[in-house]
Amino acid sequence: MKLFKLMAATAAAAILLATPAFAQTRIALVVKSLGNGFFDAAAKGAEEAAKEIGGIELIYTGPTAATAEAQIEVVNSLIAQQVDAIAISANDPDALVPVLQRAMQRGIKVVSWDSGVAPEGRQIHLNPSDINLIGETIIKLAADYLPDGGDVAILSAASTATNQNAWIEAAKKVIPEKFPKINLVATVYGDDDSVKSTEEARGLIAAYPNLKAIIAPTTVGVVAAAQVVTDQHLIGKINVTGLALPSEFKQFIDNGASQAVALWNPIDLGYSAVYLANDLIKGEEAKPGATFSIGKVGQVTLDDNNAAAMAAPFQFDKSNIDEFSKIY
Ligand code: RAM
């Protein structure tokens, strides 16, 4: 009898020891494309949240090129792996809906963050900040240094990117009323690819000789544009601005290719996306008005589209870029 009890206890202990490996909750952080410093910073926050919550395996993944087709393949493979949740920054609001619906039908929780998926393709969307505020901010960043106004152009990410398209639309709306001297001459797309963004920036400069500012609401595009302005000795003639990761962009504030840029904390964004995914895994229901905890960042309340927004963007210039460049 004693021996039997001992054997049973040993077996139970063996099961307990083995359980954590199997019981891990797996959350996939799917980004627009790998090799983007903004997403690496978000993954850092996601990893931090996973550790804090405990029992979570974080899968940081995404395609090499920022396209919806490539992301569909990534999501298909995550469905096959039966992950518990997918937190995605999408390259297209609609193209990913069918595959994400399939994921949800199989019990996988789906959150979009940074760049959203249409409401029918996800349970929650987390915006880094208010869309209209970001739209106004990117124009103001250019206008602040153009007292007499002038020609400006936008260098965006992928032409289908949900977030950039929403910000550009909001920016266009605010120009006539608040920035009437700003003349937006073109919007081009660098696909969050350094080579394509460089070509597009060169193209803008060649096509618009009176260009006074390039606004790139993408951390990849803004670096490419500032490098082109530097290389073509146009510092002081064309101001590059937009949304930039301080650690990558500091050199262009230092050399004068840019006066100021803005962004939010990408670490907090990735961190919060994982908390939201985990809240859904725990059984919390996503519905308008529901409040979700996002750990040390606080909490968010869902709007009528089950979307929420985090804080206002910060502005970076000579006075503070050094400090922030050490963080993200
Ligand atoms: C790029 C990506 C990302 C966007 C930032 C500002 O890294 O396009 O989606 O939020 O820029």
Side-chain angles (χ1 to χ4, degrees), residues 32 36-39 89 114-115 128 157-158 161 163-164 167 192 217-220 243-244 263-264 269:
K32 285 177 167 178
N36 176 338
F38 174 86
F39 290 123
S89 167
D114 179 54
S115 188
N163 53 349
Q164 274 91 8
W167 302 332
D192 273 348
T218 136
T219 58
V220 179
L243 302 174
L263 196 69
W264 36 87
L269 189 58

Side-chain angles (χ1 to χ4, degrees), residues 4 11 14 42 44 66 92 130 153 161 204 219 246 281 304 327:
F4 176 70
K44 208 168 128 193
D92 188 301
D130 178 76
L204 284 174
T219 58
I281 293 168
D304 289 346
I327 314 172

Side-chain angles (χ1 to χ4, degrees), residues 16-309:
L16 270 180
L17 278 178
T19 313
F22 293 104
Q24 288 249 335
T25 299
R26 288 181 306 157
I27 298 179
L29 189 78
V30 181
V31 297
K32 285 177 167 178
S33 59
L34 294 173
N36 176 338
F38 174 86
F39 290 123
D40 288 347
K44 208 168 128 193
E47 199 60 73
E48 194 186 318
K51 280 214 186 82
E52 212 171 87
I53 296 165
I56 292 186
E57 183 197 338
L58 184 82
I59 304 168
Y60 174 35
T61 182
T64 48
T67 70
E69 295 68 39
Q71 272 189 323
I72 290 171
E73 278 180 37
V74 170
V75 172
N76 267 323
S77 126
L78 292 169
I79 294 174
Q81 291 171 53
Q82 298 179 318
V83 297
D84 297 283
I86 292 172
I88 185 168
S89 167
N91 284 314
D92 188 301
D94 304 313
L96 284 138
V97 166
V99 76
L100 290 172
Q101 281 182 336
R102 217 152 56 75
M104 289 189 286
Q105 279 154 15
R106 295 184 187 197
I108 298 174
K109 307 297 179 195
V110 177
V111 171
S112 59
W113 59 282
D114 179 54
S115 188
V117 173
E120 58 274 24
R122 48 74 180 166
Q123 288 161 278
I124 296 178
H125 173 62
L126 181 65
N127 278 311
S129 184
D130 178 76
I131 288 172
N132 290 321
L133 181 61
I134 301 173
E136 179 164 347
T137 300
I138 58 175
I139 296 297
K140 186 173 182 301
L141 279 165
D144 280 351
Y145 298 92
L146 285 176
D148 300 325
D151 289 357
V152 307
I154 293 178
L155 167 61
S156 188
S159 63
T160 54
T162 322
N163 53 349
Q164 274 91 8
N165 283 347
W167 302 332
I168 293 168
E169 200 189 310
K172 283 181 179 165
K173 270 198 205 132
V174 88
I175 292 175
E177 189 199 320
K178 293 200 177 163
F179 307 99
K181 290 195 254 171
I182 294 294
N183 181 31
L184 177 62
V185 293
T187 300
V188 296
Y189 301 91
D191 297 344
D192 273 348
D193 174 88
S194 295
V195 174
K196 172 111 195 292
S197 301
T198 301
E199 280 165 15
E200 293 295 340
R202 286 190 186 131
L204 284 174
I205 292 167
Y208 302 97
N210 292 322
L211 201 61
K212 299 276 191 306
I214 297 177
I215 303 169
T218 136
T219 58
V220 179
V222 81
V223 167
Q227 189 64 58
V228 170
V229 163
T230 303
D231 294 346
Q232 297 196 2
H233 308 289
L234 293 169
I235 293 177
K237 190 165 178 283
I238 298 178
N239 178 34
V240 176
T241 187
L243 302 174
L245 194 64
S247 55
E248 294 176 350
F249 201 73
K250 179 183 160 349
Q251 54 177 316
F252 300 112
I253 294 282
D254 290 348
N255 79 1
S258 174
Q259 298 295 327
V261 287
L263 196 69
W264 36 87
N265 185 327
I267 303 174
D268 283 355
L269 189 58
Y271 173 96
S272 304
V274 166
Y275 260 91
L276 287 176
N278 189 58
D279 288 340
L280 291 176
I281 293 168
K282 282 191 325 204
E284 280 177 52
E285 200 192 332
K287 54 176 188 222
T291 295
F292 280 74
S293 152
I294 46 175
K296 66 169 188 200
V297 177
Q299 47 177 239
V300 286
T301 302
L302 302 186
D303 68 12
D304 289 346
N305 288 317
N306 281 354

